[in-house]
Amino acid sequence: MPTRSTVILGTGSYAPERVLSNDEISQTLDTSDDWIRTRSGIRERRIAAPNEATSDMAAKAAQRALDDAGLKATEIDLLVVATMTPDLPMPAAACIIQRKLGLPSTAACFDLNAACTGFVYALDTACAMLSSGRYQKALVIGAEKLSTIVDWQDRTTCVLFGDGAGAVVVGVSPEPDRGLLGTRLGAFGDSVELLYISHGGSSSPSTPESIARREHCMRMKGKEVFKLAVRVMDEAARDILEQHHLHADQISLVIPHQANLRIIEAISEYLEIPMERFFVNVDRYGNTSAASIPLALDEARRSGRIKTGDITLLVAFGAGLTYGSALIRW
Ligand code: COA
């Protein structure tokens, strides 16, 4: 049990202007709108401009979350950014975002990489730090420019991903049983090679040859990831409901990681929660990794799908393979 309740005070999101449709991709790649839509539910995705970095998208989403919360950047003392596509290998994107937003130099700022589960990990981390009493107001951001790490010649991956950002402002509340009720995080390190980038890190720095083979881009064993994703998201959701003595009927809205409509439909069936109580926007954005849940959360709130007293379930999986679930009472 947290010592202080941690509550979401505001949400914000940002998606780049450029819309890339399935039809447009199929002009340069052997694929089709029909294949992409039936296998993944994706119709289109957003692509950041060449001069638009992860930190630019993140700062825009964060400013909207601050405005929603009625807070100024100077009131934030903790910034946690979930991303696997930071602007630079160093320093952290969080420090660049700090500068763009004008956060005080007394704010702790760092990045966290748990791939597509990143936002759930970041939310848990920030809430634990707030619960400690050492921090008062946190910004938690999920932001990705995946268009820079996908292989645009690999039809089995590039059609699935997009760019974007989402953010929440988190504060503390004296009211018990509100806000983040709990999380269930984990990882299967044995499955690293199912979804990874083999070159460009300390074990295998990029060489002209590895770049020519496009080994600095994402590789994925789609079928295996699909099966594991369904299993771990189902288990992570069940575990957290059980831990909190909640029944699926008590969940007003599930916000799953938006990777594939078929994965979301399978989870809906396993959990026996109808699709009407799942928030879905994968059709418009594709998989935006760490940005996917906060982007969906912001759209769900702004479209009136979350009301005071509701319990929302977040559930995600990603490279690692990481997984995580979270329960929030509004
Ligand atoms: N367009 C047309 N054909 C394509 C294609 C594309 N974009 N991508 C793959 N294919 C082809 C394959 O080459 C294969 O052809 P073959 O039978 O001649 O070899 C055929 O379609 C079937 O491929 P397969 O991989 O069996 O399809 P699938 O039904 O498993 O769907 C995914 C592929 C990637 C959509 C699916 O496996 C998936 O969504 N996996 C999870 C991915 C994910 O969520 N990753 C993110 C994790 S955070």
Side-chain angles (χ1 to χ4, degrees):
M1 276 295 286
T3 48
R4 310 196 290 176
S5 295
T6 46
V7 292
I8 292 180
L9 304 172
T11 61
S13 60
Y14 171 80
E17 261 174 51
R18 165 94 165 91
V19 176
L20 178 62
S21 69
N22 293 343
D23 280 334
E24 199 178 336
I25 296 182
S26 62
Q27 284 166 20
T28 53
L29 207 62
D30 180 16
T31 188
S32 65
D33 175 54
D34 183 59
W35 194 96
I36 301 169
R37 258 189 310 104
T38 51
R39 304 288 171 129
S40 70
I42 298 165
R43 284 189 290 117
E44 60 192 35
R45 71 286 296 139
R46 301 297 183 93
I47 302 294
N51 63 352
E52 193 174 32
T54 294
S55 67
D56 294 312
M57 296 186 280
K60 285 183 179 146
Q63 189 55 57
R64 288 175 187 168
L66 285 167
D67 293 344
D68 186 39
L71 289 172
K72 293 192 184 66
T74 49
E75 294 174 82
I76 297 295
D77 57 1
L78 173 63
L79 170 61
V80 187
V81 180
T83 188
M84 56 178 182
T85 48
D87 294 22
L88 303 166
M90 65 177 278
C95 298
I96 300 169
I97 297 163
Q98 173 193 28
R99 179 165 68 186
K100 287 184 176 162
L101 288 172
L103 261 53
S105 59
T106 48
C109 301
F110 63 96
D111 289 1
L112 172 160
N113 179 352
C116 301
T117 319
F119 180 77
V120 182
Y121 268 70
L123 184 66
D124 192 35
T125 303
C127 288
M129 291 174 78
L130 291 172
S131 289
S132 75
R134 295 200 294 277
Y135 299 88
Q136 305 309 319
K137 298 235 164 24
L139 248 177
V140 183
I141 304 175
E144 302 282 11
K145 189 172 176 179
L146 299 178
S147 57
T148 58
I149 61 163
V150 299
D151 179 352
W152 287 100
Q153 295 177 33
D154 176 8
R155 67 177 184 173
T156 67
T157 52
C158 73
V159 300
L160 302 173
F161 297 94
D163 301 334
V168 299
V169 177
V170 191
V172 292
S173 160
E175 283 178 74
D177 300 326
R178 269 199 68 211
L180 187 74
L181 302 180
T183 58
R184 170 81 183 83
L185 305 180
F188 292 97
D190 288 350
S191 302
V192 164
E193 287 80 12
L194 291 187
L195 178 52
Y196 76 138
I197 297 176
S198 64
H199 283 68
S202 62
S203 69
S204 320
S206 284
T207 61
E209 294 76 26
S210 73
I211 290 172
R213 290 191 300 268
R214 298 189 304 283
E215 285 169 343
H216 56 297
C217 297
M218 196 193 295
R219 291 285 175 260
M220 177 176 73
K221 296 199 171 90
K223 260 201 199 322
E224 283 96 323
V225 171
F226 191 104
K227 282 187 219 148
L228 198 54
V230 172
R231 181 163 71 78
V232 300
M233 283 171 86
D234 176 48
E235 282 172 11
R238 273 175 203 283
D239 279 0
I240 199 159
L241 290 175
E242 215 175 283
Q243 268 171 28
H244 294 270
H245 311 292
L246 288 168
H247 189 264
D249 287 350
Q250 292 168 276
I251 302 302
S252 317
L253 190 66
V254 183
I255 303 188
H257 170 44
Q258 310 282 318
N260 183 317
L261 183 62
R262 284 158 59 219
I263 294 178
I264 299 173
E265 285 171 345
I267 294 158
S268 154
E269 201 180 314
Y270 288 178
L271 292 176
E272 297 183 53
I273 300 178
M275 278 301 284
E276 301 84 75
R277 286 198 273 135
F278 277 72
F279 190 85
V280 176
N281 63 10
V282 68
D283 53 322
R284 289 180 287 123
Y285 300 117
N287 181 346
T288 58
S289 189
S292 124
I293 286 189
L295 219 168
L297 180 62
D298 184 48
E299 288 197 341
R301 266 193 78 237
R302 285 174 197 263
S303 61
R305 291 194 61 186
I306 298 176
K307 310 224 160 30
T308 305
D310 280 359
I311 302 178
T312 303
L313 168 68
L314 313 182
V315 61
F317 73 98
L321 284 168
T322 55
Y323 64 89
S325 56
L327 283 172
I328 299 167
R329 194 196 304 271
W330 298 86

